[in-house]
Short mmCIF file of all heavy atoms in Angstrom, two decimals:
data_model
loop_
_atom_site.label_atom_id
_atom_site.label_comp_id
_atom_site.label_asym_id
_atom_site.label_seq_id
_atom_site.Cartn_x
_atom_site.Cartn_y
_atom_site.Cartn_z
N LEU U 1397 -2.07 3.74 6.09
CA LEU U 1397 -2.47 2.74 7.12
C LEU U 1397 -1.99 3.18 8.46
O LEU U 1397 -2.72 3.40 9.36
CB LEU U 1397 -1.87 1.35 6.75
CG LEU U 1397 -2.23 0.16 7.72
CD1 LEU U 1397 -3.73 -0.04 7.80
CD2 LEU U 1397 -1.47 -1.10 7.29
N LYS U 1398 -0.67 3.26 8.64
CA LYS U 1398 -0.12 3.74 9.92
C LYS U 1398 1.09 4.64 9.80
O LYS U 1398 1.30 5.51 10.65
CB LYS U 1398 0.19 2.59 10.83
CG LYS U 1398 1.01 1.56 10.19
CD LYS U 1398 1.17 0.39 11.23
CE LYS U 1398 1.96 -0.79 10.58
NZ LYS U 1398 2.07 -1.93 11.47
N ASN U 1399 1.67 4.58 8.66
CA ASN U 1399 2.83 5.53 8.48
C ASN U 1399 2.38 6.76 7.84
O ASN U 1399 1.40 6.78 7.14
CB ASN U 1399 3.83 4.89 7.55
CG ASN U 1399 4.43 3.58 8.13
OD1 ASN U 1399 4.75 3.56 9.43
ND2 ASN U 1399 4.66 2.57 7.36
N ASN U 1400 3.16 7.86 8.02
CA ASN U 1400 2.82 9.15 7.37
C ASN U 1400 3.04 8.98 5.82
O ASN U 1400 4.03 8.18 5.44
CB ASN U 1400 3.67 10.20 7.97
CG ASN U 1400 3.37 10.40 9.37
OD1 ASN U 1400 2.27 10.04 9.86
ND2 ASN U 1400 4.28 11.03 10.09
N GLU U 1401 2.28 9.65 5.10
CA GLU U 1401 2.35 9.51 3.66
C GLU U 1401 2.45 10.91 3.03
O GLU U 1401 1.82 11.83 3.61
CB GLU U 1401 1.17 8.73 3.12
CG GLU U 1401 0.95 7.35 3.61
CD GLU U 1401 1.93 6.33 3.04
OE1 GLU U 1401 2.62 6.63 2.14
OE2 GLU U 1401 2.09 5.22 3.63
N THR U 1402 3.14 11.01 1.90
CA THR U 1402 3.16 12.25 1.20
C THR U 1402 3.15 11.97 -0.31
O THR U 1402 3.75 11.01 -0.79
CB THR U 1402 4.50 13.08 1.55
OG1 THR U 1402 4.55 13.44 2.90
CG2 THR U 1402 4.61 14.30 0.67
N ASN U 1403 2.40 12.81 -1.05
CA ASN U 1403 2.40 12.80 -2.44
C ASN U 1403 2.37 14.26 -2.98
O ASN U 1403 2.56 15.18 -2.21
CB ASN U 1403 1.30 11.95 -3.01
CG ASN U 1403 -0.15 12.51 -2.73
OD1 ASN U 1403 -0.26 13.64 -2.35
ND2 ASN U 1403 -1.07 11.63 -2.76
N GLU U 1404 2.18 14.38 -4.29
CA GLU U 1404 2.32 15.73 -4.84
C GLU U 1404 1.19 16.65 -4.40
O GLU U 1404 1.28 17.83 -4.58
CB GLU U 1404 2.33 15.59 -6.35
CG GLU U 1404 1.04 15.07 -6.99
CD GLU U 1404 0.91 13.54 -6.96
OE1 GLU U 1404 1.81 12.82 -6.39
OE2 GLU U 1404 -0.07 12.98 -7.51
N MET U 1405 0.07 16.01 -3.84
CA MET U 1405 -1.03 16.89 -3.49
C MET U 1405 -1.03 17.32 -2.05
O MET U 1405 -1.32 18.45 -1.61
CB MET U 1405 -2.37 16.16 -3.75
CG MET U 1405 -2.71 16.03 -5.21
SD MET U 1405 -4.33 15.30 -5.38
CE MET U 1405 -5.44 16.56 -4.72
N ALA U 1406 -0.59 16.32 -1.10
CA ALA U 1406 -0.78 16.54 0.33
C ALA U 1406 0.06 15.54 1.11
O ALA U 1406 0.67 14.65 0.55
CB ALA U 1406 -2.26 16.33 0.68
N SER U 1407 0.10 15.77 2.39
CA SER U 1407 0.69 14.87 3.35
C SER U 1407 -0.40 14.37 4.31
O SER U 1407 -1.34 15.16 4.63
CB SER U 1407 1.73 15.55 4.21
OG SER U 1407 2.90 16.04 3.31
N LEU U 1408 -0.24 13.15 4.69
CA LEU U 1408 -1.18 12.56 5.67
C LEU U 1408 -0.35 12.15 6.90
O LEU U 1408 0.66 11.35 6.79
CB LEU U 1408 -1.81 11.36 5.06
CG LEU U 1408 -2.73 10.47 5.98
CD1 LEU U 1408 -3.90 11.34 6.55
CD2 LEU U 1408 -3.28 9.25 5.22
N ILE U 1409 -0.72 12.67 8.00
CA ILE U 1409 -0.14 12.39 9.29
C ILE U 1409 -1.10 11.52 10.13
O ILE U 1409 -2.18 11.99 10.42
CB ILE U 1409 0.31 13.57 10.08
CG1 ILE U 1409 1.11 14.59 9.25
CG2 ILE U 1409 1.05 13.31 11.33
CD1 ILE U 1409 2.43 14.07 8.69
N ILE U 1410 -0.71 10.30 10.53
CA ILE U 1410 -1.56 9.45 11.30
C ILE U 1410 -0.94 9.28 12.73
O ILE U 1410 0.24 8.99 12.75
CB ILE U 1410 -1.77 8.12 10.63
CG1 ILE U 1410 -2.32 8.25 9.21
CG2 ILE U 1410 -2.66 7.28 11.52
CD1 ILE U 1410 -2.49 7.03 8.36
N THR U 1411 -1.70 9.45 13.76
CA THR U 1411 -1.08 9.36 15.05
C THR U 1411 -0.74 7.92 15.36
O THR U 1411 -1.24 6.96 14.67
CB THR U 1411 -2.09 9.85 16.20
OG1 THR U 1411 -3.34 9.06 16.03
CG2 THR U 1411 -2.47 11.27 15.96
N GLU U 1412 0.15 7.80 16.32
CA GLU U 1412 0.61 6.36 16.59
C GLU U 1412 -0.44 5.47 16.92
O GLU U 1412 -0.38 4.28 16.62
CB GLU U 1412 1.74 6.49 17.65
CG GLU U 1412 2.58 5.21 17.80
CD GLU U 1412 3.76 5.46 18.74
OE1 GLU U 1412 4.13 6.59 18.92
OE2 GLU U 1412 4.30 4.38 19.19
N ASP U 1413 -1.44 5.96 17.72
CA ASP U 1413 -2.50 5.04 18.12
C ASP U 1413 -3.58 4.92 16.97
O ASP U 1413 -4.57 4.17 17.13
CB ASP U 1413 -3.25 5.48 19.34
CG ASP U 1413 -3.83 6.86 19.30
OD1 ASP U 1413 -3.98 7.46 18.14
OD2 ASP U 1413 -4.33 7.36 20.32
N ARG U 1414 -3.36 5.64 15.89
CA ARG U 1414 -4.23 5.55 14.66
C ARG U 1414 -5.67 6.10 14.98
O ARG U 1414 -6.52 5.87 14.16
CB ARG U 1414 -4.28 4.20 14.13
CG ARG U 1414 -2.95 3.65 13.73
CD ARG U 1414 -2.93 2.68 12.56
NE ARG U 1414 -4.08 1.79 12.55
CZ ARG U 1414 -4.92 1.69 11.43
NH1 ARG U 1414 -4.70 2.43 10.41
NH2 ARG U 1414 -5.85 0.76 11.51
N LYS U 1415 -5.84 6.80 16.09
CA LYS U 1415 -7.17 7.23 16.31
C LYS U 1415 -7.59 8.58 15.73
O LYS U 1415 -8.71 9.07 15.77
CB LYS U 1415 -7.42 7.31 17.81
CG LYS U 1415 -7.49 5.91 18.48
CD LYS U 1415 -7.74 5.96 19.98
CE LYS U 1415 -7.80 4.57 20.50
NZ LYS U 1415 -8.18 4.55 21.95
N SER U 1416 -6.55 9.14 15.19
CA SER U 1416 -6.80 10.46 14.41
C SER U 1416 -5.75 10.62 13.36
O SER U 1416 -4.71 9.99 13.35
CB SER U 1416 -6.85 11.67 15.41
OG SER U 1416 -5.54 11.82 15.98
N SER U 1417 -6.10 11.54 12.51
CA SER U 1417 -5.15 11.90 11.32
C SER U 1417 -5.24 13.37 11.00
O SER U 1417 -6.37 13.97 11.30
CB SER U 1417 -5.30 10.92 10.22
OG SER U 1417 -6.58 11.09 9.68
N THR U 1418 -4.30 13.85 10.28
CA THR U 1418 -4.43 15.22 9.70
C THR U 1418 -3.94 15.28 8.26
O THR U 1418 -2.87 14.63 7.97
CB THR U 1418 -3.53 16.18 10.53
OG1 THR U 1418 -3.80 16.13 11.91
CG2 THR U 1418 -3.57 17.59 10.02
N LEU U 1419 -4.84 15.84 7.42
CA LEU U 1419 -4.39 16.03 6.04
C LEU U 1419 -3.72 17.40 6.06
O LEU U 1419 -4.39 18.38 6.49
CB LEU U 1419 -5.61 15.99 5.21
CG LEU U 1419 -5.30 16.19 3.66
CD1 LEU U 1419 -4.63 14.99 3.06
CD2 LEU U 1419 -6.62 16.48 2.93
N ILE U 1420 -2.60 17.55 5.36
CA ILE U 1420 -1.95 18.79 5.25
C ILE U 1420 -1.75 19.19 3.78
O ILE U 1420 -1.27 18.39 2.98
CB ILE U 1420 -0.59 18.74 5.84
CG1 ILE U 1420 -0.63 18.40 7.41
CG2 ILE U 1420 0.16 20.15 5.68
CD1 ILE U 1420 0.69 18.17 8.10
N LEU U 1421 -2.40 20.34 3.44
CA LEU U 1421 -2.16 20.92 2.13
C LEU U 1421 -1.10 21.98 2.33
O LEU U 1421 -1.29 23.00 3.04
CB LEU U 1421 -3.46 21.59 1.57
CG LEU U 1421 -4.69 20.62 1.49
CD1 LEU U 1421 -5.94 21.47 1.07
CD2 LEU U 1421 -4.47 19.46 0.72
N PRO U 1422 0.13 21.73 1.81
CA PRO U 1422 1.23 22.57 2.18
C PRO U 1422 1.13 24.10 1.82
O PRO U 1422 1.54 24.92 2.66
CB PRO U 1422 2.49 21.92 1.49
CG PRO U 1422 1.80 21.07 0.37
CD PRO U 1422 0.46 20.68 0.88
N HIS U 1423 0.64 24.39 0.67
CA HIS U 1423 0.36 25.75 0.35
C HIS U 1423 -0.94 25.89 -0.37
O HIS U 1423 -1.12 25.73 -1.56
CB HIS U 1423 1.53 26.18 -0.66
CG HIS U 1423 2.95 25.90 -0.19
ND1 HIS U 1423 3.52 26.76 0.72
CD2 HIS U 1423 3.87 24.99 -0.49
CE1 HIS U 1423 4.71 26.29 0.98
NE2 HIS U 1423 4.95 25.30 0.28
N ALA U 1424 -1.91 26.26 0.46
CA ALA U 1424 -3.32 26.28 -0.03
C ALA U 1424 -3.51 27.39 -1.11
O ALA U 1424 -2.97 28.50 -0.95
CB ALA U 1424 -4.29 26.53 1.18
N THR U 1425 -4.18 26.99 -2.15
CA THR U 1425 -4.62 27.98 -3.14
C THR U 1425 -6.11 28.12 -3.24
O THR U 1425 -6.83 27.27 -2.69
CB THR U 1425 -4.03 27.54 -4.63
OG1 THR U 1425 -4.84 26.39 -5.02
CG2 THR U 1425 -2.58 27.16 -4.48
N LEU U 1426 -6.61 29.06 -3.99
CA LEU U 1426 -8.11 29.24 -4.03
C LEU U 1426 -8.70 28.03 -4.67
O LEU U 1426 -9.87 27.73 -4.33
CB LEU U 1426 -8.36 30.48 -4.86
CG LEU U 1426 -7.78 31.78 -4.34
CD1 LEU U 1426 -8.17 33.00 -5.23
CD2 LEU U 1426 -8.25 32.09 -2.91
N ARG U 1427 -7.92 27.32 -5.50
CA ARG U 1427 -8.55 26.08 -6.21
C ARG U 1427 -8.70 24.98 -5.20
O ARG U 1427 -9.23 23.89 -5.58
CB ARG U 1427 -7.69 25.70 -7.38
CG ARG U 1427 -7.77 26.70 -8.54
CD ARG U 1427 -6.94 26.26 -9.71
NE ARG U 1427 -5.59 26.35 -9.39
CZ ARG U 1427 -4.54 26.06 -10.15
NH1 ARG U 1427 -4.75 25.60 -11.37
NH2 ARG U 1427 -3.36 26.19 -9.80
N ASP U 1428 -8.17 25.07 -3.98
CA ASP U 1428 -8.26 24.03 -3.00
C ASP U 1428 -9.50 24.17 -2.15
O ASP U 1428 -9.85 23.31 -1.40
CB ASP U 1428 -7.14 24.03 -2.04
CG ASP U 1428 -5.74 23.61 -2.69
OD1 ASP U 1428 -5.83 22.69 -3.54
OD2 ASP U 1428 -4.75 24.21 -2.32
N THR U 1429 -10.32 25.19 -2.44
CA THR U 1429 -11.59 25.31 -1.82
C THR U 1429 -12.57 24.12 -2.38
O THR U 1429 -12.77 23.93 -3.41
CB THR U 1429 -12.35 26.69 -2.21
OG1 THR U 1429 -11.58 27.73 -1.57
CG2 THR U 1429 -13.76 26.70 -1.77
N ALA U 1430 -13.04 23.37 -1.32
CA ALA U 1430 -13.75 22.14 -1.60
C ALA U 1430 -14.25 21.57 -0.28
O ALA U 1430 -13.99 22.09 0.76
CB ALA U 1430 -12.83 21.19 -2.35
N VAL U 1431 -15.02 20.51 -0.41
CA VAL U 1431 -15.45 19.63 0.72
C VAL U 1431 -14.41 18.53 0.78
O VAL U 1431 -14.21 17.85 -0.22
CB VAL U 1431 -16.81 19.10 0.60
CG1 VAL U 1431 -17.15 18.26 1.79
CG2 VAL U 1431 -17.85 20.29 0.56
N TYR U 1432 -13.80 18.32 1.98
CA TYR U 1432 -12.75 17.37 2.13
C TYR U 1432 -13.39 16.16 2.96
O TYR U 1432 -13.94 16.42 4.07
CB TYR U 1432 -11.55 17.92 2.81
CG TYR U 1432 -10.67 18.74 1.87
CD1 TYR U 1432 -11.16 20.03 1.47
CD2 TYR U 1432 -9.57 18.31 1.24
CE1 TYR U 1432 -10.41 20.86 0.60
CE2 TYR U 1432 -8.89 19.01 0.35
CZ TYR U 1432 -9.30 20.35 0.09
OH TYR U 1432 -8.58 21.05 -0.91
N TYR U 1433 -13.22 14.93 2.49
CA TYR U 1433 -13.81 13.76 3.23
C TYR U 1433 -12.64 12.94 3.70
O TYR U 1433 -11.69 12.47 2.98
CB TYR U 1433 -14.63 12.95 2.20
CG TYR U 1433 -15.87 13.69 1.71
CD1 TYR U 1433 -15.88 14.23 0.43
CD2 TYR U 1433 -17.07 13.71 2.41
CE1 TYR U 1433 -16.93 14.85 -0.10
CE2 TYR U 1433 -18.18 14.34 1.86
CZ TYR U 1433 -18.09 14.95 0.72
OH TYR U 1433 -19.24 15.54 0.22
N CYS U 1434 -12.75 12.63 4.96
CA CYS U 1434 -11.87 11.70 5.65
C CYS U 1434 -12.69 10.33 5.72
O CYS U 1434 -13.84 10.35 6.33
CB CYS U 1434 -11.44 12.15 7.01
SG CYS U 1434 -10.57 10.93 8.00
N ILE U 1435 -12.19 9.25 5.28
CA ILE U 1435 -12.92 7.98 5.19
C ILE U 1435 -12.05 6.86 5.77
O ILE U 1435 -10.91 6.72 5.35
CB ILE U 1435 -13.26 7.68 3.73
CG1 ILE U 1435 -14.10 8.84 3.17
CG2 ILE U 1435 -14.04 6.42 3.68
CD1 ILE U 1435 -14.18 8.83 1.64
N VAL U 1436 -12.59 6.03 6.62
CA VAL U 1436 -12.03 4.77 6.99
C VAL U 1436 -12.52 3.76 6.15
O VAL U 1436 -13.81 3.48 6.09
CB VAL U 1436 -12.23 4.64 8.52
CG1 VAL U 1436 -11.87 3.14 8.92
CG2 VAL U 1436 -11.56 5.60 9.35
N ARG U 1437 -11.66 2.98 5.53
CA ARG U 1437 -12.17 2.02 4.57
C ARG U 1437 -11.98 0.62 5.17
O ARG U 1437 -10.89 0.21 5.56
CB ARG U 1437 -11.26 2.07 3.29
CG ARG U 1437 -11.90 1.19 2.10
CD ARG U 1437 -11.07 1.38 0.88
NE ARG U 1437 -11.62 0.90 -0.28
CZ ARG U 1437 -11.14 0.77 -1.48
NH1 ARG U 1437 -9.94 1.23 -1.63
NH2 ARG U 1437 -11.81 0.25 -2.49
N ASP U 1438 -13.12 -0.12 5.27
CA ASP U 1438 -13.16 -1.39 5.83
C ASP U 1438 -12.82 -2.46 4.81
O ASP U 1438 -13.64 -2.79 3.94
CB ASP U 1438 -14.53 -1.65 6.45
CG ASP U 1438 -14.56 -2.96 7.14
OD1 ASP U 1438 -13.60 -3.69 7.16
OD2 ASP U 1438 -15.70 -3.26 7.71
N LEU U 1439 -11.62 -2.98 4.85
CA LEU U 1439 -11.14 -3.97 3.83
C LEU U 1439 -11.90 -5.27 4.00
O LEU U 1439 -11.91 -6.13 3.11
CB LEU U 1439 -9.68 -4.15 3.85
CG LEU U 1439 -8.81 -2.91 3.64
CD1 LEU U 1439 -7.35 -3.21 3.50
CD2 LEU U 1439 -9.27 -2.28 2.27
N LYS U 1440 -12.60 -5.56 5.13
CA LYS U 1440 -13.26 -6.74 5.27
C LYS U 1440 -14.70 -6.70 4.84
O LYS U 1440 -15.40 -7.72 4.61
CB LYS U 1440 -13.26 -7.20 6.75
CG LYS U 1440 -11.86 -7.69 7.28
CD LYS U 1440 -11.96 -8.23 8.66
CE LYS U 1440 -12.41 -7.30 9.67
NZ LYS U 1440 -12.42 -7.91 11.04
#
Side-chain angles (χ1 to χ4, degrees):
Chain U
L1397 182 62
K1398 51 186 175 183
N1399 296 322
N1400 298 338
E1401 303 287 345
T1402 295
N1403 63 20
E1404 65 279 4
M1405 288 184 69
S1407 295
L1408 173 60
I1409 308 298
I1410 302 175
T1411 58
E1412 194 168 339
D1413 64 7
R1414 302 211 322 124
K1415 292 185 177 182
S1416 66
S1417 61
T1418 301
L1419 179 75
I1420 301 172
L1421 307 177
H1423 304 285
T1425 71
L1426 299 180
R1427 288 179 295 179
D1428 291 322
T1429 292
V1431 178
Y1432 286 77
Y1433 297 98
C1434 170
I1435 301 165
V1436 168
R1437 191 177 191 187
D1438 183 356
L1439 297 184
K1440 289 191 295 186

